[in-house]
């Protein structure tokens, strides 16, 4: 069994990196969509 | 072709896939997990994230901003900043070319192992098979011991694939290939991670990787290791990201693209860490030995520990083995095309030559250099060259880049430029990271390595071998860079800034 501290560090590490990546991706997608919907 | 008329990425997605593909390489698999393992386990994540925020992301923003502003490879970009700095651009792009010579031979090992997987050729002793039967490692870097024809043949295929993709340019070659390679790599690695997590004994390995030892955070070496990991893993300081961003359309986002590239690379670091350590836990469990006996870093992870794990899997051994080494091949190829492009981008800016002709010449010469690494001494020479190029060449290039761009280009001006079209803005903290923190950490790292080097020759190799393949190569690149700088430009380089820089 994995120790609680190891599980915590693994969870926090993955959440920070993958969560950060998802936030950046969603910002990029949101802005791309706004650009498409507003004609120049 | 004029600088305004150059090829460019068709889509933002294509650029991100190519940059992430360049950053993700074979090193992610065997470097990050062992840096964490040797530097406090889960506690290493703290300095690692700190280094990501203060060096990885700021440097990526710097390189993207510089390349897209100057619209040229590293040599052209530094030349526009000030003619005196052109040599730094050439030095930067020499490194990936040199690295590619041995990197392509490691990718060639993966191709060989794809075939070996079909009948599990490594048998009961993958360690002996790798070192003695396959590589036939000689006793000294000076004793070449003959060419390994299997590796040489696979190296031809690797260089041909690089040549074929790169000669078709950015939108027609690299972008098309990256749109397939990077998502495929990610899906395959996630599959391997899930498979690793379901193996018996996986928790033992993950405990070793993530159990934190916070007391070690007081040691400077842990913080230096975290900065080195972030810096080397993201392919910074070698002109790759400057070249790639020079093909971005004007008014492209810089800041968010840099965040996405660095975070995607770190995601891969974690996926690789979980995959490698859960698999090593399985190996230790099934062999009935202590975990520390199987946890050894370097390429042996992929070519010794994984074959061992594959042999002990309950089903589909050949298929899993084939797919794993295919995955390594894709990771290596997507990085090596960026290495070739880094040099060729600068050479195309400077010399009056067509892309296909230049790529062909560089590929033939590069392959000739690679053939040295297909001999019995290849792996020994590779180890020395890799150590010196990484610890001195890349680190020095990164240090000089941060210093010159932070102080001569003017970090405040660069910040204003990258914020202009970005999805979100960076604050003044970025300027402090570029002007003070990154040069200080990289400078400390270089000095520390030199002190260690003087105390004892690297890796226990003879001093003359370290001199011939280490110092000579590291210093030789600077001399060759200066020679390239002396050649005339095919077109006059427009000055981008006033004499003496923007200050």
């Amino acid at each position: 069994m994995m120790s609680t501290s190891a599980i915590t560090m693994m969870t926090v590490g993955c959440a920070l990196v993958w969560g950060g990546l998802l936030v950046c991706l969603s910002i990029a997608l949101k802005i791309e969509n706004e650009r498409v919907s507003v004609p120049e | 072709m004029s600088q305004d008329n150059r090829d460019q990425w068709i889509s933002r997605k294509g650029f991100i896939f190519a940059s992430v593909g360049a950053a993700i390489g074979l090193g992610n698999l065997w470097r990050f997990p062992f840096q964490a393992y040797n530097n406090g386990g889960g506690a290493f994540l703290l300095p690692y994230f700190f280094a990501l925020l203060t060096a990885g992301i700021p440097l990526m923003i710097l390189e993207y901003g510089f390349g897209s502003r100057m619209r040229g490879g590293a040599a052209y970009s530094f030349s526009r900043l000030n003619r005196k700095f052109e040599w730094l651009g050439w030095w930067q792009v020499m490194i990936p070319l040199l690295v590619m010579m041995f990197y392509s031979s490691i990718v060639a090992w993966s191709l060989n192992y794809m075939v070996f997987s079909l009948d599990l050729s490594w048998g009961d002793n993958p360690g002996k098979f790798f070192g003695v039967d396959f590589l036939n490692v000689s006793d000294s870097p000076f004793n070449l011991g003959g060419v390994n024809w299997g590796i040489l043949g696979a190296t031809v295929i690797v260089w041909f694939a690089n040549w074929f993709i790169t000669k078709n340019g950015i939108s027609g070659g690299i972008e098309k290939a990256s749109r397939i390679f990077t998502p495929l790599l990610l899906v395959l690695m996630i599959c391997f991670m899930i498979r690793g997590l379901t193996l018996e004994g996986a928790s033992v390995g993950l405990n070793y990787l993530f159990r934190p030892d916070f007391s070690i955070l007081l040691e400077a070496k842990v913080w230096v290791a975290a900065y080195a990991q972030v810096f080397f893993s993201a392919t910074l300081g070698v002109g790759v990201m400057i070249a790639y961003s020079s093909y971005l359309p004007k008014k492209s986002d810089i800041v968010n693209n840099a965040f996405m590239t660095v975070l995607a690379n770190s995601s891969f670091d974690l996926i690789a860490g979980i995959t490698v350590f859960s698999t090593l836990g399985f190996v230790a469990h099934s062999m009935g030995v202590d975990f520390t006996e199987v946890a050894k870093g370097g390429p042996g992870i992929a070519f010794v520990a994984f074959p061992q794990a594959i042999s002990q899997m309950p089903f589909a051994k050949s298929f899993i083995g084939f797919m794993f080494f295919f995955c390594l091949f894709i990771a290596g190829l997507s990085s090596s095309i960026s290495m070739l492009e880094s040099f060729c981008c600068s050479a195309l800016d400077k010399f009056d030559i067509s892309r296909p002709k230049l790529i062909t010449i560089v590929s033939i010469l590069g392959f000739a250099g690679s053939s040295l690494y297909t001999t019995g001494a290849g792996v020994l020479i590779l180890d020395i060259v890799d150590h010196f190029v990484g610890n001195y060449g890349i680190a020095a290039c990164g240090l000089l880049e941060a210093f010159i761009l932070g102080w001569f280009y003017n970090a405040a001006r660069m910040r204003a430029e990258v914020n202009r079209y970005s999805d979100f803005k960076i604050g003044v903290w970025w300027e402090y990271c570029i002007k003070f923190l990154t040069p200080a950490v990289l400078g400390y790292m270089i000095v520390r390595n030199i002190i260690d080097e003087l105390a004892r020759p690297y890796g226990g190799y003879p001093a003359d071998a370290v001199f011939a393949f280490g110092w000579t190569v590291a210093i030789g690149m600077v001399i060759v860079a200066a020679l390239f700088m002396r050649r005339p430009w095919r077109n006059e380089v427009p000055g981008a800034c006033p004499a003496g820089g923007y200050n």
Side-chain angles (χ1 to χ4, degrees):
Chain A
M1 281 295 288
M2 275 179 79
S3 67
T4 312
S5 58
I7 292 172
T8 307
M9 292 311 291
M10 187 169 93
T11 311
V12 170
C14 293
L16 280 175
V17 172
W18 297 337
L21 181 60
L22 279 177
V23 169
C24 292
L25 278 171
S26 60
I27 292 172
L29 283 173
K30 186 172 169 274
I31 289 178
E32 292 295 318
N33 288 338
E34 280 170 6
R35 277 184 194 146
V36 171
S37 60
V38 179
E40 289 188 23
Chain B
M1 193 185 292
S2 79
Q3 296 303 117
D4 286 330
N5 212 6
R6 64 213 309 267
D7 197 359
Q8 63 180 28
W9 303 102
I10 294 173
S11 67
R12 184 178 184 179
K13 203 195 305 177
F15 167 70
I16 293 291
F17 279 151
S19 301
V20 172
I24 294 173
L26 302 176
N28 292 64
L29 201 69
W30 55 68
R31 201 167 193 282
F32 170 78
F34 287 90
Q35 288 296 328
Y37 173 60
N38 293 322
N39 292 290
F44 180 73
L45 292 175
L46 287 176
Y48 177 76
F49 286 129
F50 189 75
L52 266 189
L53 287 174
T54 57
I57 292 170
L59 274 172
M60 190 64 80
I61 293 171
L62 183 76
E63 294 204 355
Y64 279 176
F66 190 48
S68 77
R69 167 77 175 84
M70 296 302 191
R71 307 195 70 72
Y76 179 84
S77 298
F78 277 104
S79 181
R80 275 191 76 179
L81 178 60
N82 190 314
R83 300 293 152 86
K84 288 180 200 159
F85 298 142
E86 186 188 332
W87 65 273
L88 176 59
W90 284 112
W91 188 16
Q92 286 196 333
V93 301
M94 288 291 157
I95 292 171
L97 193 64
L98 190 81
V99 168
M100 201 182 156
M101 289 180 193
F102 64 75
Y103 199 80
S104 57
S105 74
I106 302 177
V107 182
W109 299 351
S110 309
L111 270 179
N112 278 275
Y113 266 72
M114 280 166 67
V115 179
F116 295 152
S117 299
L118 299 177
D119 62 352
L120 307 180
S121 308
W122 48 79
D124 298 331
N125 194 343
K128 178 181 165 287
F129 178 80
F130 180 59
V132 179
D133 302 336
F134 178 56
L135 293 180
N136 193 18
V137 181
S138 64
D139 54 0
S140 155
F142 292 114
N143 177 15
L144 294 184
V147 169
N148 180 322
W149 296 104
I151 302 177
L152 188 76
T155 307
V156 172
I157 297 171
V158 174
W159 272 101
F160 177 79
N162 277 290
W163 169 82
F164 184 76
I165 294 167
T166 319
K167 85 172 173 59
N168 286 316
I170 293 297
S171 53
I174 296 175
E175 184 167 355
K176 274 186 186 169
S178 301
R179 287 176 77 118
I180 300 168
F181 289 166
T182 308
L184 180 66
L185 185 61
L186 197 66
V187 170
L188 284 173
M189 276 311 290
I190 289 173
C191 291
F192 282 113
M193 182 181 74
I194 294 168
R195 182 70 191 105
L197 285 170
T198 55
L199 290 169
E200 214 169 334
S203 60
V204 176
L206 292 176
N207 253 337
Y208 274 94
L209 179 62
F210 288 110
R211 192 171 43 209
D213 172 12
F214 290 108
S215 65
I216 208 169
L217 293 181
L218 296 173
E219 293 179 27
K221 76 173 181 77
V222 176
W223 292 83
V224 172
Y227 272 90
Q229 170 60 30
V230 165
F231 182 73
F232 294 131
S233 174
T235 318
L236 292 161
V238 291
V240 168
M241 297 307 174
I242 295 177
Y244 272 14
S245 59
S246 73
Y247 299 112
L248 277 170
K250 287 176 181 170
K251 301 184 183 178
S252 291
D253 168 278
I254 297 296
V255 177
N256 199 11
N257 282 348
F259 268 81
M260 285 192 281
T261 308
V262 174
L263 288 172
N265 181 55
S266 296
S267 302
F268 196 85
D269 268 347
L270 279 171
I271 291 173
I274 294 169
T275 308
V276 166
F277 269 65
S278 52
T279 307
L280 289 179
F282 167 68
V283 173
H285 174 83
S286 47
M287 288 172 71
V289 296
D290 192 67
F291 182 80
T292 49
E293 283 184 42
V294 295
K296 293 182 177 65
I301 277 290
F303 299 100
V304 178
F306 268 88
Q308 201 138 30
I310 290 161
S311 292
Q312 286 159 358
M313 284 188 182
F315 57 87
K317 297 175 187 179
S318 294
F319 177 72
I320 292 173
F322 184 87
M323 292 311 289
F324 174 74
F325 290 108
F326 176 67
C327 191
L328 286 192
F329 173 67
I330 297 289
L333 195 59
S334 59
S335 292
S336 61
I337 54 177
S338 73
M339 295 179 199
L340 188 56
E341 179 59 30
S342 175
F343 177 81
C344 291
C345 177
S346 282
L348 283 169
D349 289 335
K350 180 136 191 170
F351 304 113
D352 192 14
I353 186 169
S354 70
R355 174 178 277 269
K357 195 173 172 185
L358 175 77
I359 302 283
T360 305
I361 293 169
V362 173
S363 298
I364 291 169
L365 293 175
F367 168 70
S370 289
S371 58
L372 179 68
Y373 298 101
T374 66
T375 63
V379 71
L380 305 176
I381 299 170
L382 180 161
D383 189 32
I384 300 172
V385 174
D386 183 36
H387 173 77
F388 278 82
V389 169
N391 286 309
Y392 300 105
I394 300 178
C397 281
L399 165 68
L400 290 169
E401 178 184 279
F403 182 77
I404 289 173
L405 295 185
W407 292 93
F408 285 84
Y409 189 93
N410 193 330
R413 186 185 177 111
M414 175 70 88
R415 184 163 71 90
E417 285 172 3
V418 299
N419 275 341
R420 204 177 198 173
Y421 300 112
S422 290
D423 295 347
F424 55 88
K425 320 284 182 215
I426 42 167
V428 73
W429 62 271
W430 179 83
E431 290 177 38
Y432 292 116
C433 291
I434 293 299
K435 288 172 86 169
F436 303 106
L437 192 62
T438 303
V441 174
L442 288 173
Y444 176 77
M445 203 163 88
I446 293 169
V447 171
R448 207 186 135 100
N449 283 331
I450 290 175
I451 292 169
D452 285 351
E453 212 76 60
L454 294 176
R456 52 191 151 74
Y458 170 68
Y461 291 106
D464 51 352
V466 170
F467 177 77
F469 299 112
W471 292 114
T472 306
V473 170
I475 296 165
M477 277 191 300
V478 185
I479 296 168
V480 176
L483 293 176
F484 268 87
M485 181 184 162
R486 289 173 65 87
R487 303 292 303 163
W489 286 89
R490 67 185 165 96
N491 292 322
E492 188 56 28
V493 177
C497 38
Y502 283 116
N503 288 325

